[in-house]
Amino acid sequence: MVVSQASVLNEYKTRTPSTESSPGHFSADEQRRLAKLWQQLLQYLDENKQTSIRVTNELLQRGIHDWSTLQASDYPNPETDADQEALTRSAWEQFTKGDTGLRRMSLFTRKQSLTHEQLVLDRYVSETVWQHIDRMAGRHVSLLPDSYFPSFAHRDANTRNVRDVFWATVSVKCHPDIWVHRYLRASGWDVGKALAMIKSVIEWRAEEAVDRVNYEGDVGLGLDEMRLGMSQLVGKDRLGHPLMYVRVRRIMPRAAEGFAFKRYLVAQFDALQNVNRGNQRITMLYDFTGFTMDNTPLAMVQFMVSLGLRPYAEASSVLILLVDSWLFSNLWSLVRPFLDVNLGARIIFAKDISNVRVFVDDDQLPVELGGKNTFAAKYVLPEESENKKMFDMDGRRKAEDCWRERIAEFEKSTRKWADMVVDATDADAVDPELASTVRRTDAARDLGAAELELRKFVRSKNIFERLGMVDSNGSLQLPE
């Protein structure tokens, strides 16, 4: 199925989300393609039961700056630190202390021309949340266990098991079909292409140790990246999808290592996917007003686009780019060739707020953009006891054993279902009451419940859980 921008616009104008080619609304042909993809996926997983992929660790790199010499009073407060002259002088002092491993003296001339907001963002952007909490407490705070291992069945932290990566990824959804079918849509329902895409995503998640990014959550991210609201959940779009607002002017990846910004993006994308368990999409509003190349150099724009192409394919409803910069328009011409047809149809250029209002009502549009919405998921620091279950190894082992049992049950029911669907009549292929389909639906529900229990031991709490926005079923609940 090829999506056109006209069809996307019509959904928002009529406030009627399309259900075409989505779980529960597949045609007989689409159901058969899904079944064939599962047959090939299960064969691939069977052939790679013992296959491990080495972690390359780009997202898990650490800055080498020693924060132990800083005092609480050294840290800038963007809300009260209004003395630009003092801030510029402090920046010079920071640069003349020597090589911090994070900055370079040659950048000071660029700093002299930055705005006050950019200077604040540029000072200590690489201090992580955990480093900040330790420094403020004057001791090491036990937010997470000191040692990490992927699972009891695979304890080597330097590699990842292919099967484990796949099932850990798909079981965060209410039904694994929700995740798998997105690659069929992204590939134009070409089973071979969809399988290749899924394999590449599994390899990417293994190589980048995305499971550990989830394990550490925001405690391993930059404090200012979280606290200053570079991206915030602010409400819903006109179709009810979660609305993420990204203030591009607050992104200063050149002030820190590139991997730190990439880790921030992946952590944010995955946190949303983990609490968005149904087939609901996410709308991204990128505010490029005041955009400069200091905010998002080409490599970072390409990385953001690549996330939507494969790792999180078909996860977005629309990506709204609010642009007032000819510079970004020129930059975008270099990125556009990398887009596929479906993703391109969901990218909307908004010259002003009136264009944004086609997709977002005033009561959900942030006040700073001329709307009436004062809500934003403002950052709250983690507390020492909030991840206490992650220290319970007996509980984790029990939850993992149950999860693996549920995987085996789902695999068994899926094999029988797929064999039936491939040769079934059109009516039987899409009949939700067919015995094999009912058994598979029940197995998917049990697998989802097992993952909900296991995540308490292997994923640290995220900002949405901290704010009480996640219900007992692990699903995001947006304020009315």
Side-chain angles (χ1 to χ4, degrees):
M1 173 187 174
V2 176
V3 177
S4 70
Q5 191 159 98
S7 65
V8 173
L9 287 170
N10 187 60
E11 289 182 41
Y12 280 88
K13 288 178 178 178
T14 61
R15 298 177 184 269
T16 308
S18 172
T19 58
E20 186 180 0
S21 301
S22 62
H25 303 276
F26 294 136
S27 67
D29 179 65
E30 290 168 345
Q31 191 84 317
R32 291 192 187 95
R33 290 172 189 263
L34 178 65
K36 289 177 181 177
L37 177 57
W38 270 110
Q39 287 177 326
Q40 295 181 30
L41 267 174
L42 293 176
Q43 180 181 348
Y44 167 71
L45 294 174
D46 285 344
E47 293 171 352
N48 289 276
K49 283 184 178 180
Q50 305 303 320
T51 300
S52 294
I53 297 175
R54 181 156 294 279
V55 173
T56 58
N57 264 355
E58 183 186 12
L59 298 182
L60 297 182
Q61 294 179 64
R62 305 293 183 187
I64 61 174
H65 184 73
D66 179 9
W67 293 98
S68 62
T69 60
L70 292 178
Q71 304 299 314
S73 59
D74 292 330
Y75 200 86
N77 185 336
E79 297 178 358
T80 61
D81 190 352
D83 185 349
Q84 179 162 345
E85 181 181 353
L87 188 58
T88 305
R89 183 171 59 252
S90 179
W92 169 251
E93 291 169 356
Q94 175 71 12
F95 274 81
T96 55
K97 286 178 181 177
D99 184 5
T100 65
L102 300 178
R103 315 287 203 273
R104 293 291 185 270
M105 287 277 289
S106 61
L107 291 179
F108 178 66
T109 54
R110 178 177 62 81
K111 272 181 167 288
Q112 287 180 309
S113 63
L114 296 182
T115 65
H116 174 250
E117 180 182 45
Q118 290 170 320
L119 281 167
V120 169
L121 292 171
D122 211 13
R123 280 187 70 195
Y124 295 119
V125 73
S126 290
E127 184 183 31
T128 67
V129 170
W130 202 345
Q131 286 171 328
H132 173 72
I133 291 174
D134 281 356
R135 183 166 59 79
M136 298 301 288
R139 62 181 177 86
H140 177 61
V141 179
S142 296
L143 297 173
L144 301 171
D146 290 332
S147 60
Y148 171 80
F149 59 96
S151 69
F152 285 100
H154 188 91
R155 300 188 68 105
D156 181 9
N158 296 314
T159 61
R160 295 293 185 272
N161 176 264
V162 166
R163 282 177 54 86
D164 283 0
V165 172
F166 174 80
W167 287 113
T169 304
V170 303
S171 62
V172 301
K173 300 299 183 183
C174 294
H175 196 302
D177 282 355
I178 293 172
W179 190 87
V180 170
H181 99 280
R182 288 178 174 172
Y183 292 90
L184 277 170
R185 288 176 62 105
S187 66
W189 291 86
D190 184 308
V191 174
K193 289 181 180 179
L195 179 64
M197 290 177 71
I198 289 173
K199 287 180 180 179
S200 71
V201 172
I202 293 171
E203 292 171 4
W204 176 81
R205 293 183 70 90
E207 290 170 352
E208 297 296 352
V210 177
D211 60 332
R212 186 160 183 176
V213 172
N214 282 315
Y215 181 88
E216 296 184 5
D218 54 43
V219 302
L221 302 180
L223 174 65
D224 280 344
E225 293 162 0
M226 301 301 297
R227 186 187 63 175
L228 296 171
M230 293 182 184
S231 66
Q232 282 184 314
L233 181 67
V234 295
K236 297 179 266 190
D237 69 8
R238 296 183 75 178
L239 299 182
H241 299 310
L243 174 65
M244 284 293 291
Y245 177 40
V246 183
R247 301 171 178 88
V248 179
R249 66 181 178 276
R250 293 188 176 181
I251 298 174
M252 296 292 289
R254 288 185 176 184
E257 301 91 336
F259 70 82
F261 181 60
K262 291 181 179 179
R263 178 183 173 121
Y264 170 77
L265 286 176
V266 171
Q268 293 290 83
F269 271 75
D270 241 56
L272 270 174
Q273 291 302 312
N274 292 339
V275 297
N276 201 27
R277 302 187 67 232
N279 192 39
Q280 197 173 37
R281 292 172 177 266
I282 296 166
T283 287
M284 306 292 294
L285 172 54
Y286 290 94
D287 184 358
F288 282 92
T289 55
F291 172 83
T292 73
M293 288 302 291
D294 283 320
N295 297 122
T296 310
L298 178 60
M300 291 304 173
V301 174
Q302 288 176 323
F303 181 74
M304 284 191 285
V305 171
S306 73
L307 291 179
L309 287 173
R310 294 221 173 195
Y312 305 98
E314 290 286 313
S316 297
S317 180
V318 288
L319 289 83
I320 306 169
L321 311 182
L322 180 57
V323 178
D324 69 348
S325 169
W326 64 267
L327 179 62
F328 178 78
S329 300
N330 290 340
L331 178 61
W332 187 252
S333 66
L334 300 176
V335 176
R336 185 178 292 278
F338 295 96
L339 303 179
D340 65 20
V341 175
N342 285 355
L343 181 59
R346 295 185 180 279
I347 295 177
I348 308 296
F349 276 87
K351 294 182 178 179
D352 53 41
I353 296 301
S354 65
N355 300 139
V356 177
R357 287 191 170 100
V358 174
F359 306 93
V360 184
D361 290 326
D362 258 12
D363 64 344
Q364 297 295 316
L365 194 66
V367 170
E368 66 184 271
L369 292 180
K372 301 176 181 178
N373 181 15
T374 59
F375 170 79
K378 293 184 178 179
Y379 187 63
V380 176
L381 286 169
E383 297 180 356
E384 187 165 8
S385 61
E386 71 179 24
N387 294 316
K388 61 183 179 182
K389 281 209 167 188
M390 297 180 74
F391 294 84
D392 178 4
M393 293 297 110
D394 290 337
R396 176 178 172 178
R397 184 186 293 275
K398 182 178 179 181
E400 183 182 318
D401 289 345
C402 178
W403 177 68
R404 293 188 184 282
E405 290 172 5
R406 299 294 179 263
I407 289 172
E409 292 171 4
F410 183 77
E411 285 185 326
K412 181 179 178 181
S413 65
T414 296
R415 293 179 199 278
K416 292 182 177 180
W417 165 84
D419 290 343
M420 182 280 299
V421 168
V422 167
D423 298 320
T425 64
D426 285 359
D428 284 345
V430 296
D431 184 359
E433 302 302 322
L434 208 65
S436 61
T437 301
V438 171
R439 284 193 294 271
R440 183 170 182 263
T441 300
D442 291 343
R445 181 198 61 227
D446 293 342
L447 174 58
E451 192 281 332
L452 270 180
E453 181 62 22
L454 178 60
R455 72 168 57 180
K456 300 173 184 176
F457 301 92
V458 297
R459 298 177 189 267
S460 61
K461 289 188 180 297
N462 58 47
I463 181 59
F464 309 117
E465 293 167 307
R466 225 170 280 139
L467 292 173
M469 297 172 63
V470 180
D471 64 19
S472 59
N473 295 317
S475 297
L476 184 67
Q477 298 299 311
L478 296 168
E480 296 298 330

